[in-house]
């Protein structure tokens, strides 16, 4: 779990660093794409790798939750969760990747409405990818940081998670009817910051100490 959380934190911090003007580690939708096919393959490969880590994290957490159950129950729960993750995560990724192709298909039809829908879908895709990239970055940092905080607590290092929960309870105590939402948001935000800090440290070590990862500046 901690290795997966560290990876998610690293990936999220990389994206934040790029947005802040740091060196890029691969093309993004904001670049001038010279080879769309290669770019799509790179994006799909990156998405699958990240989703694989997330899937492994979900399965590990699920297994921990049903660890006290008998073997048949554990196997059944893991099978159900595995199918749900496969359909939900990879199905959505596959649909997003092919949405531009769907738009082009409709744009070539005879009806004006279908053509308009197709062109609109194609034009909308870059904006959707940018939004998903932003949301995905926050999610990676939140999940990665949250896993690290929880795992450190389980290993006996209670300080970081206790402090984050303390801030959460403080916010809940002064926000009345919105305490549940704002308290959860506070802890999620602190988890994301923890993930961001860890990710920056990992990025510095990986790129500057171990010299791993090809970088290129803004062209």
């Amino acid at each position: 779990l901690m290795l997966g959380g560290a990876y998610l934190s690293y990936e999220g911090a990389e994206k934040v660093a790029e947005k802040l003007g740091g060196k890029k580690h691969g093309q993004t939708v904001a670049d001038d794409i010279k080879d769309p096919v290669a770019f799509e393959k790179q994006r799909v490969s990156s998405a699958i790798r990240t989703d694989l880590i997330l899937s492994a994290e979900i399965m590990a957490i699920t297994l921990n939750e049903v660890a006290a159950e008998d073997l048949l129950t554990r196997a059944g729960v893991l099978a159900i969760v595995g199918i749900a993750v496969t359909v939900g995560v990879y199905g959505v990724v596959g649909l997003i990747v092919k949405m531009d192709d769907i738009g082009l298909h409709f744009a070539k039809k005879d009806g004006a409405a279908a053509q308009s829908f197709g062109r609109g879908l194609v034009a909308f895709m870059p904006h959707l990818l940018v939004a998903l990239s932003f949301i995905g970055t926050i999610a990676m940092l939140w999940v990665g940081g949250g896993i690290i905080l929880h795992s450190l607590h389980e290993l006996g290092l209670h300080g970081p998670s206790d402090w984050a929960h303390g801030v959460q309870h403080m916010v809940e105590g002064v926000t009345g009817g919105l305490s549940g939402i704002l308290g959860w948001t506070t802890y999620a935000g602190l988890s994301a910051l923890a993930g961001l800090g860890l990710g920056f440290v990992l990025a510095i070590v990986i790129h500057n100490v171990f010299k791993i990862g090809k970088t290129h500046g803004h062209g």
Side-chain angles (χ1 to χ4, degrees), residues 14 17-26 207-208 214-218:
E14 284 274 83
E18 290 172 3
K19 289 296 183 182
L20 295 177
K23 291 182 178 180
K24 295 186 178 182
H25 304 276
H207 297 308
N208 297 328
K214 296 180 179 179
T215 62
H216 62 85
H218 298 276

Side-chain angles (χ1 to χ4, degrees), residues 179-194:
S179 60
I181 296 176
L182 293 180
W184 179 88
T185 302
T186 298
Y187 185 78
L190 293 174
S191 297
L193 288 175

Side-chain angles (χ1 to χ4, degrees), residues 130-194:
V130 170
L132 289 175
S133 177
F134 175 75
I135 295 171
T137 299
I138 295 175
M140 282 191 291
L141 292 172
W142 161 47
V143 174
I147 288 172
I148 295 299
L149 289 178
H150 177 74
S151 298
L152 289 176
H153 184 87
E154 292 294 317
L155 291 174
L157 187 59
H158 299 161
S161 62
D162 285 351
W163 178 80
H165 280 299
V167 176
Q168 174 188 359
H169 296 325
M170 182 181 68
V171 171
E172 290 173 344
V174 298
T175 51
L178 296 176
S179 60
I181 296 176
L182 293 180
W184 179 88
T185 302
T186 298
Y187 185 78
L190 293 174
S191 297
L193 288 175

Side-chain angles (χ1 to χ4, degrees), residues 51-171:
D51 290 338
L52 179 62
I53 297 294
L54 282 171
S55 300
E57 300 289 87
I58 291 171
M59 296 300 285
I61 292 171
T62 302
L63 182 59
N64 181 67
E65 291 297 318
V66 297
E69 304 295 333
D70 59 82
L71 179 60
L72 185 60
T73 300
R74 281 181 285 168
V77 171
L78 289 175
I80 293 172
V81 172
I83 292 172
V85 168
T86 300
V87 174
V89 175
Y90 295 102
V92 170
V93 170
L95 178 62
I96 292 173
V97 168
K98 291 301 179 183
M99 278 181 69
D100 53 349
D101 294 331
I102 296 173
L104 289 174
H105 173 74
F106 277 97
K108 293 177 181 178
K109 286 186 172 292
D110 294 331
Q115 292 179 0
S116 177
F117 172 75
R119 289 193 295 268
L121 188 58
V122 172
F124 173 68
M125 279 307 298
H127 302 291
L128 175 62
L129 291 175
V130 170
L132 289 175
S133 177
F134 175 75
I135 295 171
T137 299
I138 295 175
M140 282 191 291
L141 292 172
W142 161 47
V143 174
I147 288 172
I148 295 299
L149 289 178
H150 177 74
S151 298
L152 289 176
H153 184 87
E154 292 294 317
L155 291 174
L157 187 59
H158 299 161
S161 62
D162 285 351
W163 178 80
H165 280 299
V167 176
Q168 174 188 359
H169 296 325
M170 182 181 68
V171 171

